[in-house]
């Protein structure tokens, strides 16, 4: 006589990352149950966004080097995830991004100045989250995974058709909050998609010193949650996987963990020096897996992209770059009184007094 | 924001003996009934009704979609409450004991306190975090901390604590209704305290202190569990000809400078009493700001009568650690009254 | 062309919990690779300890009801884990227990008064951890899993032959610290054994609201750590599994997670009221899986236990109970000055002054 | 415990220009060399040498078994350090920015601070937790917090902070050697500050404050990043005939009452300056205890010149938030000097 226990369970995800378009632009043919390659029309749209996003990252990184922004963490190399995952969202869904995910904000429609406000030092979050259904980009690692879970729980309780999608990094996956979010989401069966951007590094710390797992997607099994690993540089795979996960979420089938295998092509931020911890060869090696190159090859082979369209796309990207430069040329006005304006909904005497002092100080300074 | 009583004047029941636990429970019940966006969740708050029975019966009455047991993870509880609040809900969550709010420290300090400011007021987080605090219940280690200093030194948080059943009801209703996140600290040793009361009751606004006993010689400032201690000291003091005014601060952050300064200017002497350790405790802020505002009116430095600068002790040593009425009177004697 | 990834990995543990002796005392025959049933001699020793430990728990619970102890969390029903896992340790290994694990302290040789000091309110930890190679019982859930990991890391760095074993509950498994401990232990390959006592409840919260996993042992895979589920009421299985995990640890093969399926037969602590959240039938149901009954049947069938030995064992347990009563009859002296004695190694003026005040107060009180 | 210099007087190198970063780096190097039980680990402290390069070169010199990169989890870092310390090691760990110490709050407050007391002194935890703190570096959100109040109000912790390279070296050596756990707060904006110095250097004991400029009219009490600000104010004040004494507290917990009271009794006025918000900030403790001990010697209340009671702002607003020399002098003017 033994204790009754379940006799079946969800298996670990397949080892080979899901991939539709190989690094050489040829069919990769590593499918997964229920996933199909997006139409070429969809892929063309995604291609255009990736090109724009890359141009955006390059332009911002350049401005940062010039000292126009204090700091900037670029997602260069990770465009397929930023664009693929974000595009799969419905407008009513909510995105919970991190500091690395400016490209997702751009994809979500947040204006450039509002995205860059934080990095230019204007204000911590430059946009209204409610307007774009997008949470402020989280800096304290992994904390946003819980916000995404809670938001989805509320949507579920209210019977609203809204899913949440949150990005997190391989480094952030080690934080306790990630575990708690996976667990809460699975116990509560919230409509949440966890997109883990495994870009191999947490600042200088390589994946092998971050985790001893065969793959991070294996974590999902321990929560009774479906997990999946995709080639994060194949936007067809990312888009398909996220779309399917969102569909499951919408159908009340709960959360999904999607690990996207990718590589951080740039330094952690502009103030980082990656030569201290990784070889140029490694970066070189990853260039062959570039997400844009492969899609371009695929689209050209498929006859969906010709030189003319490519030129238009490049031009649209250049236009974006110009708008970034323009936006960063006009300094944002800051108003010192705003220091006190938003801390509490209910006004406080000590803040009013301090604001008064500061204003008097500024008035005196203006006099002299 | 004013709290609307759910019952009208006519159907207010006759005063009955009400414990603080019961008052808190009723406040949650009325909040849940009045506003569907109010949610109650946390460790053991559902079926069990909380280890102190503050949420007793609520799951049954409002169903597990409004009141439920979460997995055991405080950062998870606070973090998901943040997400729910962003989605328009008004979560009331419980940290089982205040040492068990510490795993949620980052979510509270880096997000709950800062979200509104970060988003220029676009995202408020009307979350109430209930924390049973302080000692004097013979609890094992980690069950008697007083963590108010941590929360009070964090801009963006509102911190209140009741000392009696009526305030427990009224402050909790207001906290749940507040657009700002509130750390609601419940003095464990006073859970079983009873008062004659008809609920609902509305006491002073949540940001105001209350003079709970008038006096002319000295002002005792205190809150939560030690209000009773201060009142006992005042009683004893009266027998020795000392007229002691007692103020229940109720709102730790913000601090009601007006009520306190008025009293201190009258008495010219004040002491702050709390259970927490002295060094860096909340009493430091009280002493500093009351001195700043009333320096020329003070005839003695503000005394701090508090727990010692050591970790909260095991039950057999609590009696030596906690401020008592005697210790308060002894301390008052230490002043040079001729000053 | 696709990204290189490993082609094999550790599988999820078997669904059926490892068990050698069924609830009916008959062979259960659910083995696992590398595990063998301990000898009957070993089992007899374990049996004796379980009987003692159960008597201990009953006696302490009784004293608590009488108000002689402030609070007590009993491990009744979980004796196979407490005794089986702890006995597998070598003296030089370190144990990291929780508030629930007084029985393991007893097994480890900590004297009764020192174990109960915390519950009687004498002092937070009543014993010298260095003497018993046993950490203070942790109350903040899951925190001790990291201490066990760090201790094992130090032992590994020093090249010392010391493993660590830590207990945690099903509830504690939801805390972020548990995740961080699993991850650190696996990345660092520390000699640590995590013994998860899945007793189905965290106070009132049932397992299904704690986790949506098929089994908690499935978590291990996500860390690249071996995981195993055993029948936690079968001490043969527990002892074998922990012994094997310790051997792996000693051989430098890193940590193991062992989930022991069991049931908390008593209330959470004496101040809990389990009728609010579970049926009497459920408790009744679990009685048939009792760890002591089944081992007794097995040992009697095997001819290792006869009435005489059984009587001796009962007598030894009664002796222990008497010693518990005696110990709790003599009130421990507490010295108020000790409040200040151990906070810092380096003395502090503010503490010295406060101690002076307290002593003056006490002297004055003694006068009057 | 005294720190033994690794080099003897004869081979002390000629004074050179040393940054605080370099001094800290050398302190860690000398500690690692002197005592094999010293271990250095944390996020990016190995190959990269830390985001502020404080641990630069140490992994190479002492190998990855003494200096290494941990997984990214602060509770994990502190929690495993506790286990290592129980096993006889002396871990020196880094929290990358002080808002990132918050995930470790429970381990620090419930264990690091309490283990020794819990075990009646049987288990000491000689852990040094390095925390880069404060702002003025144009950092994005969460990179400029001043968390000292949290640690200082926790009995069991020792909290020190250097304001200059010599103290950085000496205090860190002493912290690592201390049997008590130390929160070692490094003022980020002073990392690149240089002084002419020969290392090793031994400055005042770690529990002592230092008068860094003598004066007779008023005492400015401060620490870490704002020592420089206070000295600048003293310089300016001198031009206006105000003789300002500046004390670098160095040790926040314990507090050096002796040095401070001596100065305050001389000047009869004092102000405490820090970057952190005022309400419940460390300055409250300073104001309260200095007033208590010196009430009759004070001719004015102790001023607190601090950050405002708001979350640390984004870079463009820092200049308005941070106390400046001007703001200090303005505040001093606000006193009624004829009092
Ligand atoms: C709680 C916390 N700890 C530390 C940091 C400092 N930090 C910022 S980014 C980073 C590395 C994150 O790595 P990963 O999650 O892999 O994301 P990536 O930067 O690679 O996108 C660290 C340590 C932080 N932001 N939050
Ligand atoms: C961090 C923390 N949160 C909450 C508590 C309060 N608490 C004590 S025991 C317990 C339930 C633990 O359940 P489990 O881990 O399954 O262990 P069991 O009591 O069943 O042995 C809770 C919530 C605590 N001790 N620590
Ligand atoms: Mg990464
Ligand atoms: Mg349990």
């Amino acid at each position: 006589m033994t204790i009754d226990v379940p006799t079946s369970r969800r298996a670990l995800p397949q080892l080979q990352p899901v991939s539709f378009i190989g690094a050489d632009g040829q069919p990769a043919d590593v499918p997964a149950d229920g996933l199909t390659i997006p139409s070429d029309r969809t892929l063309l749209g995604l291609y255009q966004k990736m090109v724009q996003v890359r141009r955006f990252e390059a332009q911002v990184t350049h401005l940062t080097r010039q000292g126009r922004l204090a700091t900037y963490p670029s997602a260069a190399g990770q465009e397929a995830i930023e664009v693929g995952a974000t595009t799969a969202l419905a407008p009513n869904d909510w995105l919970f991004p991190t500091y690395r995910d400016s490209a997702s904000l751009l994809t979500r429609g947040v204006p450039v100045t509002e995205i860059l406000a934080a990095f230019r030092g204007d204000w911590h979050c430059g946009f209204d989250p409610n307007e774009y259904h997008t949470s402020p980009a989280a800096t304290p690692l992994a904390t946003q995974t819980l916000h995404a879970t809670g938001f989805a729980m509320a949507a579920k309780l209210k019977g609203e058709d809204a899913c949440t999608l949150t990005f997190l990094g391989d480094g952030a996956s080690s934080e306790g909050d990630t575990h708690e979010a996976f667990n809460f989401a699975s116990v509560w069966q919230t409509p949440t998609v966890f997109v883990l951007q495994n870009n191999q590094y947490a600042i200088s710390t390589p994946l092998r010193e971050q985790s001893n797992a065969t793959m991070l997607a294996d974590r999902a099994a321990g929560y009774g949650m479906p997990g999946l690993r995709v080639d994060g540089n194949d936007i067809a795979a990312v888009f398909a996987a996220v779309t399917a996960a969102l569909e499951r979420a919408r159908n009340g089938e709960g959360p999904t963990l999607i690990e996207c295998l990718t590589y951080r092509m740039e330094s952690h931020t502009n103030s980082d020096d990656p030569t201290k911890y990784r070889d140029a060869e490694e970066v070189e090696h990853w260039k062959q897996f570039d997400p844009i190159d492969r899609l371009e090859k695929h689209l050209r082979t498929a006859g969906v992209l010709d030189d003319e369209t490519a030129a238009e796309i490049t031009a649209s990207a250049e236009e974006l770059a110009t708008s970034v430069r323009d936006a960063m040329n006009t300094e944002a006005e800051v108003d010192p009184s705003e220091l006190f304006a938003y801390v509490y909904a209910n006004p406080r005497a000590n803040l009013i007094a301090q604001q008064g002092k500061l204003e008097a100080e500024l008035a005196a300074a203006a006099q002299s | 924001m004013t709290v609307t009583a759910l019952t009208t004047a006519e159907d207010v029941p006759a005063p009955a003996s009400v414990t603080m636990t019961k008052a808190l429970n009723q406040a949650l019940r009325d909040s849940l009934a009045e506003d569907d966006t109010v949610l109650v969740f946390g460790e053991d708050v559902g079926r069990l009704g909380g280890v102190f029975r503050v949420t007793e019966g609520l799951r049954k009455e409002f169903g597990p979609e409004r009141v439920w047991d979460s997995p055991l993870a405080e950062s998870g509880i606070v973090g998901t409450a943040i997400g729910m609040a962003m989605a328009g809900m008004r979560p009331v969550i419980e940290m089982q004991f205040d040492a068990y709010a510490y795993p949620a420290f980052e979510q509270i300090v880096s997000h709950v306190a800062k979200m509104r400011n970060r988003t220029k007021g676009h995202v408020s987080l009307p979350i109430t975090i209930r924390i049973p605090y302080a000692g004097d219940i013979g609890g094992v280690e980690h069950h008697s901390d007083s963590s108010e200093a941590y929360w009070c030194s964090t801009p963006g948080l509102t911190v209140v604590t009741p000392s009696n059943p009526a305030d427990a009801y009224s402050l909790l209703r207001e906290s749940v209704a507040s657009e700002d996140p509130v750390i609601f600290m419940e003095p464990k040793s006073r859970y079983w305290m009873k008062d004659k009361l008809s609920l609902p009751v509305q006491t002073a606004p949540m940001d105001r202190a209350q003079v709970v006993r008038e006096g002319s010689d000295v002002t005792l400032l205190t809150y939560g569990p030690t209000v009773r201690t201060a009142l006992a000291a005042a009683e004893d003091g009266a027998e020795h000809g000392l007229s002691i005014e007692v103020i229940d601060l109720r709102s730790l952050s913000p601090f009601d400078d007006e009520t306190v300064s008025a009293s201190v200017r009258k008495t010219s002497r004040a002491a702050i009493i709390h259970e927490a350790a002295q060094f860096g405790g909340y009493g430091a802020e009280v002493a500093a700001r009351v001195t700043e505002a009333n320096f020329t009116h003070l005839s003695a430095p503000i005394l701090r009568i508090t727990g010692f600068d050591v970790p909260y002790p095991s039950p057999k040593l609590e009696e030596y650690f906690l401020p008592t009425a005697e210790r308060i009177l002894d301390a008052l004697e230490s002043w040079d009254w001729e000053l």
Side-chain angles (χ1 to χ4, degrees), chain A, chain B:
Chain A
M1 191 178 66
T2 49
I3 304 167
D4 279 348
V5 290
T7 52
S8 77
R9 90 190 115 185
R10 209 180 292 280
L12 290 173
Q14 66 189 37
L15 277 166
Q16 199 59 39
V18 178
S19 180
F20 294 116
I21 305 172
D24 47 11
Q26 299 301 309
D29 286 333
V30 191
D33 273 356
L35 300 193
T36 44
I37 186 168
S39 71
D40 282 338
R41 210 188 124 82
T42 302
L43 289 174
L44 182 64
L46 294 171
Y47 174 76
Q48 167 156 16
K49 286 191 203 166
M50 282 204 290
V51 171
Q52 290 173 339
V53 149
R54 176 162 297 176
R55 188 65 191 84
F56 173 83
E57 297 287 13
Q59 182 61 64
V60 178
T61 301
H62 184 74
L63 288 168
T64 309
R65 287 209 189 97
Q66 289 183 332
R68 307 285 277 284
L69 287 96
T71 187
Y72 189 71
S74 158
Q78 303 175 213
E79 295 88 351
I81 309 164
E82 296 287 330
V83 170
T86 309
T87 306
L89 288 169
N92 208 36
D93 295 337
W94 268 66
L95 174 71
F96 289 77
T98 78
Y99 57 91
R100 172 87 55 220
D101 305 315
S102 298
S104 77
L105 298 180
L106 193 67
T107 309
R108 197 82 178 133
V110 183
V112 166
T113 352
E114 299 184 16
I115 296 172
L116 296 178
F119 301 113
R120 191 162 62 166
D122 303 340
W123 198 265
H124 298 315
C125 172
F127 59 92
D128 174 2
N130 297 308
E131 194 171 341
Y132 308 101
H133 289 191
T134 298
S135 173
T139 316
L141 293 166
T143 53
Q144 79 285 355
T145 60
L146 284 163
H147 308 165
T149 301
F151 193 105
M153 178 63 167
K156 177 179 162 158
L157 291 172
K158 292 192 280 183
E160 280 175 8
D161 177 23
C163 300
T164 60
L165 184 150
T166 182
F167 289 115
L168 69 153
D170 46 307
S173 78
S174 295
E175 291 280 5
D177 275 5
T178 299
H179 160 69
E180 299 186 12
F182 288 176
N183 192 43
F184 277 63
S186 187
V187 171
W188 293 349
Q189 289 289 290
T190 65
T192 311
V193 183
F194 298 102
V195 177
L196 198 165
Q197 303 204 44
N198 180 351
N199 65 3
Q200 317 295 323
Y201 284 90
I203 307 187
S204 70
T205 309
L207 185 62
R208 67 179 178 284
E209 293 180 21
Q210 197 66 252
S211 164
N212 188 40
T214 310
M215 56 167 136
L216 293 170
D218 286 352
R219 295 261 161 89
Y223 304 95
M225 168 167 73
L228 190 70
R229 174 142 82 163
V230 307
D231 179 338
N233 286 3
D234 174 6
I235 198 166
V238 174
F239 184 82
V242 173
T243 302
L246 286 167
E247 195 169 310
R248 288 188 66 255
R250 256 181 254 291
N251 291 339
E253 294 169 63
T256 306
L257 170 62
I258 302 173
E259 178 191 1
C260 300
L261 216 56
T262 185
Y263 192 79
R264 198 193 74 212
M265 298 302 292
E266 287 282 342
S267 55
H268 172 69
T269 65
N270 51 301
S271 46
D272 178 37
D273 175 8
T275 63
K276 302 230 166 172
Y277 55 81
R278 69 186 190 187
D279 294 339
E281 293 102 79
E282 192 183 275
V283 183
E284 222 33 61
H285 172 77
W286 274 88
K287 282 197 179 147
Q288 61 186 321
F289 299 108
D290 188 80
I292 299 186
D293 286 358
R294 71 169 80 179
L295 185 56
E296 175 161 353
K297 280 182 199 140
H298 169 86
L299 292 173
R300 285 192 184 266
T301 311
V304 188
L305 182 68
D306 56 18
D307 287 348
E308 193 184 335
T309 319
E312 276 167 31
I313 290 175
T314 311
S316 74
E318 282 311 319
E319 230 172 87
L320 176 66
T322 308
S323 80
V324 171
R325 281 192 305 271
D326 289 350
M328 292 302 107
N329 269 338
T330 11
E331 267 305 318
E333 289 283 314
V334 293
D335 171 3
S337 298
E338 286 201 308
L339 276 173
F340 306 95
Y342 313 110
V343 186
Y344 301 98
N346 301 315
R348 287 204 170 187
N350 54 332
L351 268 69
I352 294 168
Q354 291 174 359
Q355 180 171 349
K357 272 196 195 168
L358 175 62
E359 283 166 4
E361 209 179 83
L362 294 172
Q367 293 277 309
S368 67
Chain B
M1 179 157 186
T2 14
V3 174
T4 27
L6 281 186
T7 36
T8 59
E10 294 96 79
D11 53 39
V12 163
S17 208
V18 175
T19 60
M20 183 180 288
T21 303
K22 169 70 190 143
L24 293 166
N25 182 266
Q26 192 60 42
L28 291 175
R29 178 171 289 107
D30 290 349
S31 298
L32 281 157
E34 186 179 282
D35 179 351
D36 313 330
T37 66
V38 174
L39 302 172
V40 171
F41 69 101
E43 293 158 14
D44 306 298
V45 298
R47 293 178 188 78
L48 184 64
V51 294
F52 292 107
R53 307 298 186 265
V54 171
T55 57
E56 182 128 54
L58 301 179
R59 182 181 196 263
K60 207 161 195 177
E61 191 167 334
F62 297 95
E65 307 224 316
R66 303 280 311 279
V67 180
W68 74 96
D69 294 314
S70 72
L72 206 171
E74 294 78 10
S75 191
I77 293 168
V78 176
T80 55
I82 291 169
M84 292 180 209
M86 292 177 77
M89 305 307 246
R90 218 168 257 283
V92 184
I93 54 181
E94 176 177 306
M95 305 278 97
Q96 207 162 76
F97 286 88
D98 69 355
Y100 305 143
Y102 303 156
F105 198 78
E106 179 186 35
Q107 289 284 358
I108 297 175
V109 164
S110 292
H111 291 302
V112 173
K114 300 192 170 88
M115 184 68 83
R116 194 172 195 285
N117 183 63
R118 174 183 307 143
T119 61
K120 291 203 169 184
H122 290 301
V123 180
S124 293
L125 296 179
I127 300 172
T128 303
I129 305 182
R130 296 182 36 244
I131 308 184
Y133 81 114
D136 207 6
I137 57 157
V140 296
E141 198 185 0
H142 306 293
H143 289 73
S144 300
D145 283 22
S146 287
S147 63
E148 65 273 21
Y150 299 135
W151 317 124
C152 289
S153 62
T154 305
L157 298 177
T158 296
V159 185
V160 301
T161 180
S163 72
N164 60 69
D167 272 348
Y169 179 88
S170 190
L171 288 174
L172 186 51
R173 291 298 309 279
E174 271 201 80
S175 296
V176 177
S178 167
E179 275 308 292
D180 287 319
V182 177
I183 307 288
F184 189 89
M185 307 205 64
E186 303 174 0
K188 285 190 283 283
S189 62
R190 297 300 179 259
Y191 271 137
W192 305 278
M193 171 189 191
K194 279 183 188 164
D195 266 343
K196 283 261 182 257
L197 199 63
S198 353
L199 294 178
V201 66
Q202 187 168 335
T203 63
M206 68 182 280
D207 58 354
R208 301 311 300 255
Q210 283 281 222
V211 177
V212 291
R213 180 187 171 112
E214 299 213 0
S216 54
D217 293 336
V218 49
T219 304
L220 297 183
L221 303 166
T222 189
Y223 52 91
T226 40
V227 171
R228 185 165 72 177
T229 322
L231 287 170
E235 202 67 51
D236 294 355
E239 285 172 25
H240 298 84
L242 202 58
S243 170
I244 298 180
E245 180 144 311
V246 179
I247 294 185
D248 179 351
L249 294 175
R250 302 167 81 254
S251 175
L252 304 187
S253 175
F255 182 84
D256 181 355
D257 290 291
E258 203 184 336
T259 303
V260 172
S261 286
S263 171
V264 169
R265 289 182 181 211
K266 179 176 76 175
T267 60
S268 91
R269 288 166 198 269
I272 163 79
I273 297 151
H274 59 58
E275 280 193 17
Q278 183 164 115
F279 195 90
Y282 180 70
E285 176 60 34
V286 174
R289 70 187 301 110
V290 174
T291 306
E292 259 155 40
N294 306 289
F295 186 71
T296 55
H297 302 271
L298 287 175
S299 56
I302 298 202
L303 286 179
R304 293 187 284 168
I305 307 163
T306 67
F308 299 121
D309 292 335
V310 306
Y312 197 92
S314 49
K316 285 199 182 145
L317 291 163
E318 297 193 279
E319 59 172 306
Y320 305 106
F321 176 87
L322 292 170
T324 56
E326 276 159 348
R327 197 172 284 170
I328 293 169
L329 292 172
D330 278 0
L332 299 187
E333 266 175 34
S334 77
W335 271 325
D336 177 0
W337 286 87
E338 305 313 314
L339 204 75

